[in-house]
Amino acid sequence: MFSELRKKSIQSYVVRPGRITPSQKRALCNETFDYGLFLKNGLIHLEKTFNNTHKTILEIGFGMGSSVAEMASNNPNENYIGIEVHAPGIGNLINLIHDLNLSNIRIYWADAIDVIDECIPDKSIDRFQVFFPDPWHKKKHNKRRLVTEKFLAKVSNKLKSGGIFHFVSDWKSYADSVIEIGENNDLFVNTALNGKFTDKPDYRPMTKFERRGIQLGHSIWEIILQKIEEVDKNE
Ligand SMILES: C[S@@+](CC[C@H](N)C(=O)[O-])C[C@H]1O[C@@H](n2cnc3c(N)ncnc32)[C@H](O)[C@@H]1O
């Protein structure tokens, strides 16, 4: 599999050289790996990609991939698309897919913004998941946060009517900003009461960064926004 990262003036991530284990490296080099999806192939056809018409969940920034692999394993009748920029994480998820014998995950090694813009059909996704995104908590770095008003408008275009945007962070200021953006538009409703956070749903496993946040004494702020049903103007 190969990376399709493009240089941008503002990025929500930093590509760290990081350590990559021999088995993660092997997974990335394996030419026979056929779960990779690529920006260069443009818009995807979900039914042909997964060979079924199941619900599709798209997770941005899956890190080392254990939570998306666990969800895919627990829900064989759902399709999962993971997007990540971090090579060891991609290699690790490929190995998990093989170890768990999963056929319902596909992976992009690219910036999620490019994938959403170029590859995801409108009104095709049942749920977007952004779990513990890089917080960029210093004021001067806030502009690097992934979830902005513009980002949520893109997500809304790609969600089916009634689809879900699920966000969770251990940084209150980031979560507050997502509640504010999510509630102050006519695209989403907060499934908790306005201004409120929600409880962790059973389907979400604990993630590596959640564990790290809890160890640091942080609280967890969970948000589930639902895309507002679209009224068919032809009716
Ligand atoms: C703080 S980590 C959280 C990882 C995992 N979700 C967890 O909870 O353990 C955030 C991840 O998002 C990835 N990321 C940030 N911006 C991204 C983008 N635009 N497209 C794809 N991945 C991104 C980073 O590489 C990083 O692995």
Side-chain angles (χ1 to χ4, degrees):
M1 227 184 133
F2 56 86
S3 146
E4 293 180 298
L5 295 181
R6 302 169 184 158
K7 232 180 160 47
K8 298 218 172 104
S9 55
I10 300 178
Q11 290 176 171
S12 60
Y13 56 88
V14 179
V15 182
R16 297 180 190 84
R19 262 182 311 137
I20 182 156
T21 66
S23 86
Q24 289 162 0
K25 211 170 188 170
R26 260 197 313 279
L28 292 176
C29 295
N30 187 352
E31 295 298 330
T32 60
F33 176 71
D34 54 2
Y35 298 123
L37 296 174
F38 300 95
L39 282 180
K40 69 179 172 78
N41 293 340
L43 208 61
I44 51 168
H45 190 294
L46 290 173
E47 199 175 326
K48 283 187 190 153
T49 301
F50 289 101
N51 214 9
N52 63 47
T53 54
H54 298 164
K55 287 183 175 177
T56 303
I57 288 97
L58 189 150
E59 179 160 329
I60 298 175
F62 56 72
M64 297 309 280
S66 38
S67 56
V68 71
E70 188 175 329
M71 278 184 282
S73 175
N74 289 343
N75 301 285
N77 290 331
E78 292 179 344
N79 301 324
Y80 285 81
I81 297 177
I83 313 176
E84 188 40 86
V85 298
H86 185 53
I90 308 271
N92 199 57
L93 181 55
I94 293 172
N95 285 335
L96 288 171
I97 290 173
H98 284 149
D99 293 348
L100 298 169
N101 202 14
L102 301 174
S103 58
N104 56 340
I105 305 193
R106 300 291 183 277
I107 305 173
Y108 281 100
W109 186 355
D111 185 326
I113 302 289
D114 295 332
V115 175
I116 292 172
D117 284 343
E118 298 172 29
C119 305
I120 305 299
D122 288 352
K123 299 181 186 170
S124 66
I125 301 295
D126 292 271
R127 188 169 75 234
F128 274 80
Q129 305 184 155
V130 180
F131 297 159
F132 302 91
D134 298 289
W136 299 113
H137 55 90
K138 290 187 185 152
K139 196 131 202 88
K140 65 176 180 182
H141 289 147
N142 281 181
K143 60 177 182 291
R144 299 188 66 167
R145 285 178 172 171
L146 177 72
V147 184
T148 60
E149 198 175 346
K150 199 169 157 194
F151 173 83
L152 271 189
K154 285 180 196 285
V155 165
S156 163
N157 281 336
K158 304 301 170 183
L159 279 173
K160 292 180 186 165
S161 189
I164 295 294
F165 175 71
H166 184 174
F167 173 95
V168 56
S169 176
D170 57 330
W171 288 87
K172 177 80 166 33
S173 69
Y174 198 174
D176 280 341
S177 78
V178 173
I179 289 252
E180 196 184 320
I181 303 163
E183 288 179 356
N184 290 318
N185 60 45
D186 51 8
L187 305 174
F188 292 98
V189 284
N190 184 350
T191 59
L193 291 175
N194 264 3
K196 302 273 185 221
F197 296 93
T198 194
D199 293 332
K200 179 174 114 36
D202 290 341
Y203 65 76
R204 184 177 74 71
M206 177 164 288
T207 78
K208 180 176 167 190
F209 274 77
E210 179 171 19
R211 235 171 262 119
R212 188 175 286 183
I214 291 169
Q215 272 165 11
L216 291 170
H218 294 181
S219 299
I220 305 301
W221 309 98
E222 193 118 14
I223 300 168
I224 298 187
L225 303 176
Q226 184 167 34
K227 181 175 171 175
I228 290 172
E229 295 281 340
E230 285 164 55
V231 180
D232 188 343
K233 296 193 180 90
N234 297 322
E235 274 181 6

